[in-house]
Amino acid sequence: MAASRPAAARTPPGARTSGGGGKPPRRGAGPSNRTPRRRGPIGRFFAAVFGLIWRVLWGIGWRIGFVMGTILAAAVFYFYAQLAPVTDLIDARSRGSVTFLDHENKVYAWRGETFGGMITAETVSPFLHDAVVATEDRRFYRHLGISPRGIASAIRINLAEGRGPFEGNGGSTITQQVAKLLCLGVPYDQTHWESEADYEADCRRGSMWRKIKEVPYAIAMELKYSKEEILTIYFNRAYLGAGARGFEAAAQRYFGKSANEVNAAEAAMLAGLLKAPSYFAPTNNMDRARARANVIIGLMEEQGYVTSEQAAEARTNPARLSEAAASRSGGFFADWVMETAPAFLTTQTTEDVIIRTTLDQRLQKASEEALAYIFETKIKQGSNAQAAIVVMSADGAVRAMVGGRKIEAAGSFNRATQALRQTGSAFKPFVYAAALDLGWSPEDYVEDTPYTINIPGSGPWSPKNYDEEFKGMVTLTQALAESRNIPAVKVSEAVGRDNVRKIAADFGIQSDLAAGPALALGASESTLLEMTGAYAGILNGGSSVTPYGLVELRLQGEEEPLIGAAGGIGERVISEQSARLLTYMMTKVIENGTGGRARLDDRQAAGKTGTTQAARDAWFVGYTADYVAGVWMGYDDNTPLTGVTGGGLPAEIWHEVMVRVHEGVEPKPLPMDIPEPRTPPQPEYQDPGQVAQQPTRDRSQEDPVESLLKDLLGLY
């Protein structure tokens, strides 16, 4: 019989048992005898509700997820099927470009959007490849077309800066940017968009719906193309400012080299253009472009694409523009050439066109520098006065053109070709050309005395000389040199206004010429290009010229030109002897007359000043044996110039141009004949106190009608 435990050893109900030392056992040291608490009715109710909600949400959620996944997969498949081969997506332009070459076949200007040719991610400079990835999408090789982290970060930044969630930073991957460049597969339709610019702006417009569409399109691209193929599309389609479409065109335009050859500094500057092409374009602001490039260099160094030494070298030796890009010369010239060729091969071309021109970049730079020098040293700051310059050869080949004081955007108003202004006394050589071609001599005399013509319907008209003085008997040479108005009118009336008009028109003055006697004083309007071309006709021996700048136009990649030169020497206007005598007369304008400030120390020069009524226009047009140059100065709004005549600032500009233009050019004599001097005519009678009015002369060889006119007008 088992012994029973002592009663003292029992533990009363609810009493604690000690572990031998009289202390209560540690919590958790042994099994618990406590019964789990049961939820109350409220707890059971909420638990049931939450459970029901969870089961409903899970049931709906996986179904919605399945549906959304199916839709996404379908959208991806749809876009995947629509994507074209990479080679079909390289050139984004619907129109072509025009590239201009100077007379040495060097590029100096572009029009339209230039595409430099296809480059690939494998052949492009490694610096450029890495600069683009480091700048635009550092996780490019680790995502499938979209980066949720990047999008979330961009939304946070936009909201923090007070913009809409998708305004400003887009958080787009390179793949998404390519999707935008491809306009999500929507082709350009001229009937839907007013211009290609509107089409591209619409494609880049940020919105929730467009972001949603980008997702399946970007994924489809990642599935269709390799990463390097996506980069290849990006490298060729991105717009990079200054009309450059793609990195090859941009590298050629800014640095004069292929995108395959750019160094780290140049690559960083090109990659920096992706953020804001026009704002960061080095042709717009080089300091800003270099600052942006330094940011890119820092990113490349941080991500291990360049070493510290390479980064330091790029910062120490920043990118520099090519000579053509830095000079930005020939813009007005290029605009003028564009106007002279058919629009379907220039402004509206769908092909890439190459135009070889007559431009001499050395002469262009000389002209621009000369104009800047005069305005910096001779004209007060803040003046709105304008000026234009044309330099050409005797055959009409335009070598330089400045259409205004500042280098302006393409298509700006060109004062050398578009401004019709009164010519003033610069027109007078055509009056004397008519006389010389009729057999007059530069040493013939004309009387500079008060003179009045009765104009039918207008009444009497009395021209005045600029100095309001009268010189009496003067030679034609002196009258031209001193730009005396009364003798010019008398000669014009004697030879016939129709003859003067015909000679001026034949020399290339195409504007409507005045019908009255003020024709001789330059009351008609003309452009600087026309006037310079007309003077070129005097230099070349009396034949007309058609000013031209286009030598040949061809399609890129083709050898045969579509268009050749459309200008040059034309029909004879006056005899060669007359032209040589007129050149002699015009040398006296510079040596002894109103054009003294244009005098060149090392070579002969001929020219003529011109100042219109109230000095609204001031001209100097002249030439050496090598070049003809014309200068116009005035205000665009026709405000009178203050203290300026053709013999003043325009002559000084002309002088500065010609000094620079002729650097290194061997002096040559002008083609001119020096006339035999003649004895001043003696009056047939002398009335005390009066100037001789009727000197004797040999009338045996004169035409009776011409002799009568001379008697009536006091011409000798």
Side-chain angles (χ1 to χ4, degrees):
M1 182 173 174
S4 61
R5 293 184 65 187
R10 296 177 185 169
T11 302
R16 290 184 177 180
T17 59
S18 67
K23 294 181 180 180
R26 290 175 299 165
R27 183 174 296 176
S32 174
N33 295 322
R34 298 177 62 186
T35 303
R37 293 181 60 186
R38 302 184 65 180
R39 293 188 181 94
I42 296 177
R44 290 195 299 273
F45 172 77
F46 280 109
V49 170
F50 284 131
L52 178 63
I53 292 174
W54 172 252
R55 287 192 296 274
V56 171
L57 289 177
W58 172 254
I60 295 175
W62 76 263
R63 288 174 174 81
I64 292 176
F66 177 78
V67 172
M68 294 298 294
T70 302
I71 293 174
L72 177 61
V76 170
F77 178 78
Y78 172 78
F79 287 129
Y80 182 93
Q82 300 295 319
L83 289 171
V86 171
T87 53
D88 293 346
L89 303 176
I90 296 303
D91 192 350
R93 303 164 306 153
S94 63
R95 287 189 178 178
S97 65
V98 181
T99 301
F100 292 88
L101 309 179
D102 66 9
H103 75 123
E104 295 179 334
N105 288 329
K106 295 180 180 178
V107 176
Y108 68 89
W110 302 263
R111 291 293 181 270
E113 289 190 356
T114 307
F115 178 66
M118 179 178 174
I119 54 174
T120 69
E122 289 83 4
T123 61
V124 75
S125 163
F127 291 117
L128 182 56
H129 179 286
D130 297 341
V132 170
V133 173
T135 306
E136 296 298 310
D137 189 359
R138 66 173 62 195
R139 288 183 287 273
F140 176 66
Y141 289 99
R142 301 197 298 273
H143 61 63
L144 192 65
I146 58 173
S147 174
R149 186 191 306 179
I151 294 174
S153 175
I155 291 174
R156 185 179 66 254
I157 293 172
N158 291 335
L159 292 175
E161 296 181 358
R163 297 189 295 262
F166 299 105
E167 296 176 0
N169 289 289
S172 297
T173 64
I174 286 178
T175 310
Q176 286 176 284
Q177 292 182 52
V178 173
K180 290 179 183 177
L181 291 173
L182 297 176
C183 205
L184 302 181
V186 178
Y188 173 59
D189 184 355
Q190 291 182 341
T191 62
H192 185 72
W193 288 279
E194 291 185 4
S195 67
E196 191 172 0
D198 292 335
Y199 161 74
E200 292 188 354
D202 183 55
C203 292
R204 296 189 179 98
R205 187 176 296 119
S207 66
M208 179 66 75
W209 175 239
R210 192 172 293 277
K211 280 289 182 184
I212 291 172
K213 288 178 66 178
E214 277 181 17
V215 172
Y217 198 92
I219 296 174
M221 290 181 61
E222 291 278 349
L223 296 175
K224 180 84 170 182
Y225 310 126
S226 69
K227 290 287 188 180
E228 299 309 302
E229 287 177 325
I230 292 172
L231 276 177
T232 294
I233 299 171
Y234 193 44
F235 286 151
N236 286 280
R237 291 185 74 104
Y239 180 70
L240 297 164
R245 179 71 68 173
F247 281 95
E248 178 66 11
Q252 294 286 356
R253 180 158 297 193
Y254 296 126
F255 307 127
K257 61 174 67 173
S258 171
N260 301 333
E261 302 169 347
V262 295
N263 58 33
E266 294 164 341
M269 188 171 287
L270 290 173
L273 295 169
L274 291 166
K275 183 177 179 66
S278 298
Y279 184 77
F280 289 114
T283 49
N284 185 26
N285 188 313
M286 177 56 84
D287 291 339
R288 193 157 55 208
R290 285 178 174 170
R292 175 65 179 163
N294 285 336
V295 173
I296 309 303
I297 291 293
L299 292 173
M300 295 174 71
E301 182 182 9
E302 175 189 319
Q303 297 173 44
Y305 288 114
V306 294
T307 64
S308 299
E309 292 76 15
Q310 289 174 318
E313 171 69 16
R315 294 188 184 100
T316 304
N317 299 289
R320 298 178 182 274
L321 290 172
S322 67
E323 184 177 346
S327 66
R328 300 180 65 194
S329 65
F332 288 111
F333 185 95
D335 286 341
W336 169 61
V337 172
M338 289 276 282
E339 294 169 1
T340 64
F344 69 89
L345 289 173
T346 54
T347 56
Q348 300 173 15
T349 179
T350 57
E351 303 285 345
D352 289 320
V353 173
I354 306 295
I355 297 181
R356 187 160 63 89
T357 69
T358 59
L359 183 77
D360 186 320
Q361 291 197 62
R362 184 184 72 83
L363 272 59
Q364 179 68 33
K365 183 179 180 181
S367 301
E368 292 171 357
E369 289 178 347
L371 183 62
Y373 171 77
I374 293 297
F375 269 84
E376 288 172 4
T377 59
K378 304 283 185 171
I379 298 176
K380 65 181 180 181
Q381 292 185 349
S383 171
N384 292 322
Q386 276 291 351
I389 300 170
V390 172
V391 180
M392 69 173 63
S393 302
D395 65 348
V398 179
R399 302 301 181 185
M401 179 180 290
V402 182
R405 284 173 57 189
K406 297 180 181 178
I407 300 172
E408 302 178 66
S412 298
F413 182 67
N414 189 338
R415 296 162 189 86
T417 63
Q418 295 175 301
L420 278 169
R421 307 296 291 238
Q422 284 192 345
T423 58
S425 294
F427 185 86
K428 288 176 182 175
F430 308 122
V431 174
Y432 292 100
L436 294 172
D437 209 44
L438 289 174
W440 294 27
S441 166
E443 296 301 301
D444 279 338
Y445 282 82
V446 59
E447 197 168 25
D448 180 20
T449 56
Y451 181 60
T452 299
I453 297 177
N454 187 42
I455 303 175
S458 298
W461 177 70
S462 301
K464 297 183 181 300
N465 292 319
Y466 180 76
D467 57 10
E468 297 188 351
E469 296 181 357
F470 306 100
K471 291 291 185 75
M473 212 69 68
V474 295
T475 64
L476 301 189
T477 300
Q478 181 183 353
L480 180 63
E482 297 179 3
S483 198
R484 309 203 70 77
N485 290 338
I486 293 173
V489 173
K490 286 186 174 182
V491 172
S492 175
E493 294 300 300
V495 301
R497 296 173 210 162
D498 287 343
N499 282 335
V500 174
R501 272 194 296 271
K502 184 177 187 309
I503 283 179
D506 289 349
F507 268 130
I509 307 300
Q510 300 175 0
S511 309
D512 290 336
L513 297 171
L519 167 74
L521 306 183
S524 305
E525 294 179 334
S526 184
T527 67
L528 180 61
L529 181 65
E530 286 179 355
M531 289 292 289
T532 309
Y535 277 52
I538 302 171
L539 172 61
N540 71 30
S543 295
S544 66
V545 303
T546 299
Y548 69 100
L550 188 153
V551 175
E552 69 172 29
L553 181 152
R554 58 182 172 82
L555 299 182
Q556 190 174 52
E558 300 290 333
E559 294 296 329
E560 291 298 319
L562 298 178
I563 298 176
I569 296 179
E571 299 294 326
R572 177 164 295 282
V573 180
I574 59 175
S575 68
E576 183 177 358
Q577 182 185 25
S578 299
R580 294 173 68 90
L581 290 172
L582 184 55
T583 293
Y584 164 79
M585 293 173 66
M586 293 168 67
T587 62
K588 299 305 177 183
V589 174
I590 294 177
E591 293 175 8
N592 308 317
T594 58
R597 295 189 188 183
R599 187 179 297 113
L600 302 174
D601 295 334
D602 62 341
R603 68 193 70 229
Q604 293 176 327
K608 184 68 187 77
T609 59
T611 309
T612 63
Q613 188 175 14
R616 287 183 171 84
D617 303 279
W619 304 70
F620 191 90
V621 188
Y623 50 86
T624 64
D626 295 287
Y627 296 108
V628 188
V631 175
W632 167 87
M633 187 174 174
Y635 286 99
D636 287 339
D637 62 1
N638 234 16
T639 300
L641 294 161
T642 302
V644 177
T645 64
L649 288 173
E652 292 187 42
I653 295 172
W654 188 91
H655 171 86
E656 291 296 328
V657 169
M658 293 305 242
V659 166
R660 289 168 168 79
V661 160
H662 287 88
E663 287 181 1
V665 178
E666 190 70 22
K668 301 174 187 174
L670 278 170
M672 64 180 180
D673 291 336
I674 300 175
E676 295 182 5
R678 296 191 178 184
T679 304
Q682 298 298 319
E684 294 180 351
Y685 63 93
Q686 184 71 41
D687 185 5
Q690 300 294 323
V691 178
Q693 299 290 318
Q694 192 69 18
T696 59
R697 64 177 184 270
D698 182 7
R699 303 171 182 265
S700 59
Q701 303 299 320
E702 290 185 356
D703 179 85
V705 175
E706 180 183 341
S707 178
L708 177 60
L709 283 171
K710 288 184 177 182
D711 286 337
L712 291 173
L713 297 173
L715 294 162
Y716 304 96

